[in-house]
């Protein structure tokens, strides 16, 4: 019998998966003083608190081909899920690992999914693959089903700080300084190109959460799964769950803490929301 495995980079925020073989290739967060490996041993809260005080440059680093091949672990059929290629080299690295792995292991197969997203939406994709595997679907059918599923998922976000984006050279420091002043939050979405697209400047957390609810409706949510990831902001996640549940009685909502990579970009107080579209 062929062995099946799901593999993802650590933007998925999980390190284990029930009933299906799973492994995670860690991202890294690097400063001039410290390096954080985004694995199960990382104290994400300690990292967030350190970065909150840190004034220097910081950056993220994706898994290399060796990291990916190690994560593949000799399995026959591998479903590999990565953070958006619009923000990271993880997909390109995983695809290079696929080519090496398949060339050195005749008959073994790797399908790499570029989610064009991060965090909670990546998690939804992994859960869909798991569902297909548990239903004993054929390899090619799983690839096709999940490719279609990714066109029916989305991601919105609320950020209270853009400091790490600025330190990483992804936004202007001037723009970053405006966020957080007088309680201003940025609300936006993952674009079709896999970049983060700011859409609203909202004053106050409550207004931002209400805007998130409006945005998931505008993006096509009517019922189904919603995954809420937060960085040290459980109360906002619970408020958002309540707001969504009031409007959509059949919404299936789960809440989790963001791990290292997503916490690096969401920063303290940030919330990411993955959802299924109609």
């Amino acid at each position: 019998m062929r062995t099946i495995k799901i593999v993802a980079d650590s933007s998925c925020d999980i390190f284990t998966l029930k009933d299906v073989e799973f492994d995670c290739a860690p991202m890294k967060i690097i400063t001039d003083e410290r390096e954080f490996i985004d694995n199960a041993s990382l104290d994400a809260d300690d990292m967030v608190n350190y970065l909150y005080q840190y004034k220097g440059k910081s950056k993220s680093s994706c898994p290399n081909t060796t990291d990916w091949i190690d994560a593949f672990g000799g399995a026959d059929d591998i479903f590999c899920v990565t953070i958006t290629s619009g923000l990271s080299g993880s997909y390109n690295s995983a695809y290079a690992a696929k080519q090496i792995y398949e060339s050195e292991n005749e008959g073994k197969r790797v399908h790499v999914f570029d989610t064009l997203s991060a965090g909670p939406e990546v998690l939804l994709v992994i859960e869909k693959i798991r569902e297909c595997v548990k239903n004993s679907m054929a390899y090619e059918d799983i690839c096709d089903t999940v490719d279609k599923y990714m066109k029916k998922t989305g991601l919105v976000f609320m950020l209270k700080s853009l400091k790490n984006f600025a330190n990483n050279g992804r936004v202007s420091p001037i723009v970053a300084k405006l966020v957080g002043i007088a309680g201003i939050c940025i609300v936006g979405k993952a674009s079709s190109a896999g970049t983060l697209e700011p859409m609203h400047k909202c004053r106050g957390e409550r207004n931002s959460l209400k805007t998130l609810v409006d945005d998931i409706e505008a993006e096509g949510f009517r019922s189904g799964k919603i995954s809420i990831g937060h960085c040290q902001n459980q109360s906002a996640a619970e408020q958002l769950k309540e707001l969504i549940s009031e409007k959509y009685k059949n919404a299936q909502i789960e809440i989790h803490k963001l791990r290292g990579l997503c916490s690096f970009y969401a920063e303290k107080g940030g919330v990411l929301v993955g959802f299924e579209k109609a």
Side-chain angles (χ1 to χ4, degrees):
M1 180 173 294
R2 295 181 67 83
T3 55
I4 299 172
K5 190 172 189 179
I6 302 173
V7 178
D9 59 43
S10 58
S11 71
C12 67
D13 292 321
I14 60 170
F15 299 104
T16 60
L17 192 62
K18 186 178 179 182
D19 300 331
V20 177
E21 190 175 356
F22 176 79
D23 205 351
C24 189
M27 312 282 274
K28 295 179 182 178
I29 294 88
I30 302 166
T31 74
D32 292 336
E33 301 172 348
R34 296 177 66 178
E35 178 178 281
F36 301 90
I37 300 175
D38 190 14
N39 56 26
S41 300
L42 175 67
D43 185 335
D45 287 334
D46 173 69
M47 184 198 78
V48 170
N49 293 336
Y50 163 78
L51 291 171
Y52 187 73
Q53 302 293 333
Y54 179 68
K55 303 299 183 184
K57 294 288 184 181
S58 58
K59 63 181 181 179
S60 60
S61 173
C62 69
N64 59 37
T65 53
T66 300
D67 294 329
W68 282 114
I69 291 171
D70 288 345
F72 294 165
D76 296 317
D77 291 337
I78 298 164
F79 302 99
C80 181
V81 186
T82 77
I83 190 173
T84 172
S85 59
L87 292 176
S88 170
S90 188
Y91 172 80
N92 290 335
S93 179
Y95 195 83
K98 159 196 163 68
Q99 293 176 309
I100 295 169
Y101 189 79
E102 290 179 340
S103 68
E104 295 180 351
N105 299 276
E106 185 177 355
K108 297 190 176 184
R109 302 178 289 190
V110 182
H111 187 93
V112 186
F113 297 97
D114 179 359
T115 65
L116 298 177
S117 191
E121 188 175 359
V122 175
L123 185 53
L124 290 178
V125 173
I126 291 171
E127 289 174 347
K128 187 65 175 180
I129 299 170
R130 176 186 175 275
E131 175 189 309
C132 293
V133 170
K134 294 300 292 179
N135 287 334
S136 301
M137 291 176 62
Y139 178 85
E140 294 84 358
D141 291 340
I142 294 176
C143 296
D144 183 58
T145 297
V146 176
D147 280 333
K148 290 177 180 175
Y149 178 75
M150 291 193 300
K151 293 179 172 61
K152 294 287 189 176
T153 59
L155 180 84
V156 295
F157 58 84
M158 176 193 76
L159 303 180
K160 293 188 172 185
S161 171
L162 296 176
K163 174 174 172 279
N164 291 338
F165 272 105
N167 283 347
N168 204 15
R170 297 190 183 276
V171 301
S172 160
I174 296 173
V175 172
K177 286 181 180 179
L178 295 176
V179 179
I181 295 175
I184 297 295
C185 302
I186 292 292
V187 173
K189 66 177 182 178
S191 72
S192 59
T195 58
L196 298 184
E197 180 182 326
M199 297 189 296
H200 316 282
K201 294 178 183 177
C202 301
R203 188 175 298 278
E205 184 174 270
R206 185 72 176 178
N207 287 334
S208 300
L209 297 177
K210 290 178 179 178
T211 302
L212 283 177
V213 177
D214 292 339
D215 284 348
I216 66 169
E217 180 177 36
E219 291 296 310
F221 180 78
R222 297 297 179 268
S223 66
K225 293 182 178 180
I226 291 184
S227 179
I228 301 173
H230 70 90
C231 180
Q232 297 187 357
N233 202 348
Q234 181 76 27
S235 63
E238 294 287 356
Q239 288 179 61
L240 181 58
K241 179 179 180 179
E242 183 178 342
L243 288 170
I244 295 171
S245 297
E246 288 174 357
K247 192 165 189 176
Y248 302 101
K249 305 300 182 185
N250 295 322
Q252 304 162 42
I253 306 170
E254 67 84 23
I255 294 173
H256 65 273
K257 291 181 66 174
L258 299 174
R259 295 293 305 168
L261 189 280
C262 287
S263 289
F264 175 64
Y265 285 112
E267 298 193 54
K268 190 187 292 280
V271 174
L272 308 181
V273 186
F275 57 93
E276 296 179 332
K277 300 178 182 179

